[in-house]
Amino acid sequence: MSFAKREYEFLKEIGLGPRNSGCYVNGVWQGNGPVVTSVNPADNQPIAEVAEASIQDYEEGMQACANATKIWMQIPSPKRGEIVRQIGDALRTKLHHLGRLVSLEMGKILAEGIGEVQEIIDMCDFAVGLSRQLNGSVIPSERPNHTMLEMWNPLGIVGVITAFNFPCAVLGWNACIALVCGNSVVWKGAPTTPLITVAMTKIIAGVLEKNNLPAAIFTAFCGGAEIGEAIAKDTRIPLVSFTGSSKVGLMVQQTVNQRYGKCLLELSGNNAIIVMDDADIELAVRSVLFAAVGTAGQRCTTCRRLLLHESVYQKVLDRLCDVYKQVKVGNPLEKGTLLGPLHTRLSRESFAKGIEIIKSQGGKILVGGNVIESEGNFVQPTIVEISASAGVVKEELFAPVLYVMKFQTLKEAIEINNSVPQGLSSSIFTRRPEIIFKWIGPQGSDCGIVNVNIPTNGAEIGGAFGGEKATGGGREAGSDSWKQYMRRSTCTINYGNELPLAQGINFG
């Protein structure tokens, strides 16, 4: 059986066919749920079919995963790191094929698709080093012949629910760290990017098989809300990492909290760039272009609000409008394209509805504002002049729409930045140290990512990624994010013959 188009033949190189099973359960590919069709957002034509998970598939997979976890957590962490290193090497051999698949199925341009897969490889490298540094503390005890120390142990199973916009990178942020920490991983990929879920899982499964390890250490399901709800409710999963909207994330959090589980949430963003009067204008314009147009405005870190000091307002705006008019919109796999399609037809409809709401609230369309008539989900990159107090500015329109507004003072700009429910990413363009340190300090940006002279998006993996407020408060990837994937025990050891009590208590 062949693919519908010759250009899809490369998918065979990463283990995909025209019809695929969408569940990896205890080393076996199966799928007893609905059969879905993955479509190319550039033309809305079928790529391939995937058989999703049923609840029976889920239960079978979870039972096997629970058993595999008992073995995996006993393997020394540097040995677990070696397995993750091999996963990184396996991904390197398929980097361009996988990157091309991300671009094809999700819709982001090829450079971004390859970059996304590279991000997982980078996470593997980071996790390998981390596997030898999962350190606890030795704490001085107030009692003679006593020692206090901290032990970090695996949680057990980590559930990872990812979104379409980064269909595999977010898995990497979570799975690489979770695995070296001694946890098994249960992954539910986005319903609209099932081919990426299958292809990624096949590579990871190959490494586990090569090392004669239980296949269920990594269990994957393609599926919709039913499987996501099962993960959220499952008491066998002590930590659920969820990436998606604030609305759904709150529902997941409430469900997990009801069973006293832990949540790691990466939710909506409504990110601002502030351009001060002393900013490098060209640097700012280039940064705004990437931050607002990259991934067709479908990153959680996309710049959605541009705050311009009144003295440079028109200069920056004129330059930005000129640049926007030169953006090449088209097939994300073609060289030179900067703006690919939105991911689904529904996204395109949401863009059109959003533009009408913007106009009704006094927004002035300076560039773009239209759906591009085609077979695909293409829209124009859009710049809107609007008041910071407009209701629509507080919401996240997941499309390449940039709201531009004017400010007079730094205090005013920071207040506008912090005035939205979300708190993911932010950036300021200035050369003045007093502004920089005000911005990153306690009276500055209230976001989890606070940048200076760079875009709001394109975060490196070495830092902890995540945000505050309606963004969820989770932290993934680098720094000490690993602590969320382990349980900490404070251990007091009495190696003497007496029983002195803390706080000097004398009991009997």
Side-chain angles (χ1 to χ4, degrees):
M1 189 175 178
S2 299
F3 288 98
K5 294 185 179 181
R6 177 183 285 182
E7 56 262 41
Y8 297 165
E9 291 297 314
F10 79 93
L11 296 174
K12 293 178 180 177
E13 299 297 321
I14 44 178
L16 297 173
R19 177 74 183 266
N20 305 273
S21 297
C23 311
Y24 186 63
V25 172
N26 201 19
V28 177
W29 283 98
Q30 59 192 59
N32 295 295
V35 175
V36 297
T37 300
S38 173
V39 300
N40 178 354
D43 60 13
N44 285 305
Q45 295 301 305
I47 304 171
E49 293 180 343
V50 176
E52 291 185 328
S54 66
I55 286 297
Q56 290 73 27
D57 292 322
Y58 173 80
E59 184 54 35
E60 184 181 341
M62 283 303 302
Q63 288 178 12
C65 188
N67 290 329
T69 303
K70 298 171 186 176
I71 298 170
W72 180 243
M73 65 170 50
Q74 295 182 69
I75 295 172
S77 59
K79 299 293 185 185
R80 299 192 296 253
E82 166 59 18
I83 300 303
V84 173
R85 185 195 67 78
Q86 291 180 34
I87 292 171
D89 284 349
L91 290 169
R92 281 183 176 90
T93 65
K94 302 294 185 181
L95 171 61
H96 290 277
H97 288 319
L98 285 168
R100 193 171 184 84
L101 171 58
V102 171
S103 182
L104 174 68
E105 190 175 36
M106 185 272 152
K108 61 180 65 176
I109 64 172
L110 183 57
E112 290 185 296
I114 293 170
E116 176 166 352
V117 180
Q118 182 61 49
E119 193 166 350
I120 311 172
I121 295 168
D122 293 345
M123 277 303 307
C124 288
D125 290 347
F126 178 86
V128 173
L130 180 65
S131 70
R132 294 180 181 271
Q133 300 178 69
L134 301 173
N135 305 324
S137 300
V138 177
I139 304 163
S141 173
E142 66 184 67
R143 291 172 279 187
N145 298 322
H146 283 59
T147 293
M148 292 175 64
L149 53 86
E150 288 180 344
M151 286 289 294
W152 291 91
N153 287 300
L155 289 172
I157 301 174
V158 173
V160 182
I161 303 174
T162 56
F164 75 85
N165 58 337
F166 280 88
C168 57
V170 176
L171 170 74
W173 296 351
N174 286 276
C176 295
I177 306 300
L179 288 170
V180 298
C181 288
N183 304 295
S184 293
V185 173
V186 172
W187 179 29
K188 190 195 88 69
T192 51
T193 55
L195 299 180
I196 295 166
T197 303
V198 173
M200 277 294 303
T201 301
K202 288 197 171 187
I203 287 174
I204 296 168
V207 172
L208 294 175
E209 182 180 354
K210 178 184 170 185
N211 288 274
N212 297 311
L213 287 165
I217 290 168
F218 191 90
T219 300
F221 302 106
C222 294
E226 186 180 39
I227 301 301
E229 289 171 8
I231 291 173
K233 292 177 180 176
D234 200 327
T235 56
R236 293 168 293 190
I237 303 176
L239 173 65
V240 176
S241 170
F242 173 84
T243 301
S245 70
S246 294
K247 180 181 177 181
V248 178
L250 183 60
M251 294 165 58
V252 171
Q253 184 181 50
Q254 290 170 342
T255 301
V256 175
N257 284 351
Q258 283 176 354
R259 60 175 177 83
Y260 300 103
K262 296 199 294 184
C263 254
L264 202 169
L265 301 175
E266 297 288 357
L267 310 177
S268 304
N270 192 347
N271 316 295
I273 289 178
I274 297 172
V275 181
M276 295 300 296
D277 53 349
D278 70 320
D280 181 327
I281 301 300
E282 280 306 306
L283 184 65
V285 168
R286 285 169 52 206
S287 297
V288 171
L289 180 68
F290 174 58
V293 173
T295 323
Q298 296 170 113
R299 292 187 182 220
C300 51
T301 51
T302 290
C303 177
R304 308 203 181 278
R305 298 176 294 145
L306 177 60
L307 284 52
L308 301 176
H309 190 275
E310 60 181 0
S311 67
V312 296
Y313 183 85
Q314 204 57 50
K315 183 177 181 181
V316 175
L317 194 54
D318 289 346
R319 182 76 184 97
L320 196 60
C321 288
D322 288 343
V323 171
Y324 260 58
K325 291 170 185 175
Q326 297 171 38
V327 170
K328 181 183 176 183
V329 182
N331 187 331
L333 292 168
E334 288 182 2
K335 188 176 181 180
T337 299
L338 289 182
L339 181 64
L342 294 176
H343 185 55
T344 63
R345 284 178 169 146
L346 183 60
S347 302
R348 185 178 62 179
E349 292 169 10
S350 296
F351 169 86
K353 291 176 184 175
I355 294 296
E356 293 308 310
I357 294 170
I358 287 165
K359 291 176 180 177
S360 72
Q361 295 186 11
K364 180 182 177 183
I365 309 296
L366 302 181
V367 177
N370 297 306
V371 169
I372 297 173
E373 293 303 322
S374 68
E375 292 180 343
N377 307 319
F378 296 98
V379 300
Q380 294 175 335
T382 300
I383 298 176
V384 177
E385 207 170 30
I386 195 167
S387 167
S389 62
V392 71
V393 173
K394 312 292 185 186
E395 302 167 5
E396 183 187 44
L397 178 58
F398 225 51
V401 176
L402 179 66
Y403 302 122
V404 183
M405 50 205 76
K406 190 184 295 184
F407 70 90
Q408 294 180 326
T409 66
L410 175 63
K411 182 175 182 290
E412 181 189 2
I414 291 173
E415 287 174 353
I416 295 171
N417 177 80
N418 296 350
S419 67
V420 297
Q422 309 85 354
L424 179 51
S425 187
S426 56
S427 188
I428 196 168
F429 282 77
T430 184
R431 295 296 178 188
R432 295 203 289 273
E434 67 272 22
I435 291 178
I436 292 171
F437 286 98
K438 174 84 170 180
W439 172 243
I440 67 175
Q443 293 183 306
S445 172
D446 65 358
C447 295
I449 298 171
V450 184
N451 293 334
V452 178
N453 295 326
I454 65 168
T456 50
N457 55 351
E460 298 179 37
I461 60 100
F465 182 94
E468 302 298 325
K469 302 188 296 188
T471 302
R475 293 296 186 276
E476 295 173 340
S479 186
D480 65 349
S481 299
W482 64 271
K483 292 179 179 179
Q484 295 179 98
Y485 301 87
M486 303 194 83
R487 58 177 178 84
R488 171 168 38 188
S489 303
T490 301
C491 310
T492 305
I493 301 169
N494 179 358
Y495 54 88
N497 299 316
E498 303 295 326
L499 190 64
L501 301 178
Q503 293 86 47
I505 293 172
N506 186 358
F507 193 76

